[in-house]
Every structure is written in structure tokens, then in C-alpha cells.
Amino acid sequence: MEAARFVYESCQELCVPTVTLSRWTAYGCPMRPELLDELARTEHMVATNIRKKSKESIDQLWKKVVLPPDDPGREKLPSRCDAKWFYQTFIGTELPAELPTSVWNDVEKLNMYDPLAVLMCVSSYRSTHFRCTEKVVNEVSHIVVGVCEEENGIRNRKALFDEYSALFLYAMQASLYEPKININYNSNFVDEVTSKRSALVNRAA
């Protein structure tokens, strides 16, 4: 937190504009684990590794959140991130009376911080999918997306989910097959991929 505060204060003092995407935006458009399964079916090394690491990360996080707030095993995890928070964030239900040792099979939502941040860097994606709030400091405009839980900055959750799901699949397929065939991002390939997202999107809504 101190490092982040230093970066923002320095940017404001030096009049460097910033674009910030908050956790509320990530919470507002989560990904279901089924998408990771579908990406892994491409047999792309990166896709299979992402699925493996995601499961490991979730299980490691679960082991930390069930520890007492002052336990050193929590490392830098904030005290607000407890078992109740975990269930609300990743599973969408109330905390059960008996806590499981592994939670991966119960996970319904995975938060996509980095992919959403990458989309934010592209002006066309930013204007299409996000509602930006402007903050002016020292006459310099700073953009914030997701100022609170109620205003997460997402224009259309389904459209955003479709967008990054199609991009994920396109990237995996293109890197595997592009030496043999030329995949055009604007072709029917994306339409086909997007149509397959409907079932996942409806379940995630």
C-alpha cells in the first residue's frame, strides 16, 4: 500500500496522467473456470499452465484466508480477506459451517485483473466496455474505472466477457496454427467463438 501511494503521489506531483482500474471492475466481470477448461482443450502450453496455476493459486489463497488475522502465514493479505470474503468473491454463497480443505471444485468466479487492465490500454476497448471517471489533480486528468462496488465501471458485462473470451481463444489458436493457416481476427472465427460463450455468460450472470 505504501508503494502504491508513493507511485500515485509522485505521478500527481510530476503531472503524469494515470489510468486506474480497481478491484470493483474485476469483481464486476469475473471468469468462470469452465473458460480455463476450454482454453486448455486447445492443448496450448500456456493455456494448460494457466489452468494449473489458477487452481494452485486459489487453493493457496484459501489456505491463507482461513488463518487468524495476525498469523504470519497470511503474509501481506489484508485482514478483510477472510473466509467469508473468499466465499462471497469466488463462490458467491455464504460461508458453510464446515470449511473444506480444497475449494477449486466450488469456485464459480475468477477475477481477471490483468486482462482487463490490458484492454484498458487500448482506447477503442476502453471506450466500448468501460465507464471512466475523471479526477483532476494539478490540472492533469486522471482516469479511474470502478470507483465503488455499485459503480464498477463496466458498460455491458456480457459484451466484455465475450470480448476477452474470444481474444483468449483467438490468441491460443492463432499461435498454434498461424504458421499453417492465416486466421483473420475479423472473420467468422470470432463470431463462432463468441457464440460459444453464451452458455458460460448466462451461468456467470
Side-chain angles (χ1 to χ4, degrees):
M1 185 61 71
E2 291 182 3
R5 185 177 293 109
F6 172 79
V7 170
Y8 276 98
E9 289 178 351
S10 297
C11 287
Q12 292 170 4
E13 291 173 1
L14 297 172
C15 297
V16 177
T18 62
V19 178
T20 301
L21 185 142
S22 79
R23 72 176 185 271
W24 302 118
T25 307
Y27 291 174
C29 190
M31 179 184 72
R32 291 183 60 84
E34 282 91 337
L35 179 56
L36 292 181
D37 295 336
E38 186 166 354
L39 291 173
R41 282 196 288 273
T42 66
E43 298 184 354
H44 194 292
M45 179 177 62
V46 172
T48 55
N49 190 57
I50 288 175
R51 186 187 183 281
K52 176 185 176 183
K53 293 300 182 181
S54 296
K55 180 182 183 303
E56 291 176 355
S57 297
I58 284 292
D59 281 338
Q60 289 173 2
L61 178 60
W62 172 246
K63 291 177 181 178
K64 291 180 181 180
V65 301
V66 297
L67 295 174
D70 57 349
D71 193 300
R74 291 175 60 89
E75 299 178 342
K76 295 183 179 181
L77 193 65
S79 58
R80 63 177 174 82
C81 298
D82 55 11
K84 181 179 180 181
W85 163 85
F86 184 99
Y87 260 75
Q88 291 175 343
T89 302
F90 297 102
I91 300 177
T93 62
E94 295 299 321
L95 192 66
E98 184 174 347
L99 300 182
T101 55
S102 177
V103 291
W104 177 254
N105 291 333
D106 297 324
V107 168
E108 297 288 331
K109 301 179 292 182
L110 296 171
N111 298 319
M112 306 301 293
Y113 295 95
D114 292 341
L116 294 180
V118 171
L119 288 181
M120 277 287 296
C121 295
V122 182
S123 59
S124 58
Y125 289 141
R126 185 191 304 171
S127 60
T128 299
H129 296 296
F130 302 101
R131 288 190 302 272
C132 301
T133 300
E134 183 183 33
K135 305 287 185 179
V136 178
V137 181
N138 293 333
E139 300 182 353
V140 175
S141 175
H142 298 268
I143 294 175
V144 180
V145 177
V147 294
C148 62
E149 184 174 6
E150 292 72 23
E151 179 46 64
N152 58 33
I154 296 174
R155 293 187 182 277
N156 184 308
R157 178 180 179 180
K158 181 181 182 302
L160 179 55
F161 182 86
D162 283 346
E163 186 81 76
Y164 72 64
S165 298
L167 288 170
F168 281 154
L169 281 169
Y170 169 76
M172 300 303 172
Q173 295 282 13
S175 64
L176 284 172
Y177 302 118
E178 196 147 55
K180 299 179 181 179
I181 61 174
N182 183 25
I183 301 176
N184 182 0
Y185 176 70
N186 295 318
S187 69
N188 292 332
F189 172 78
V190 173
D191 294 335
E192 180 182 351
V193 168
T194 300
S195 66
K196 291 179 180 179
R197 307 274 58 74
S198 297
L200 291 178
V201 173
N202 290 337
R203 292 181 62 187

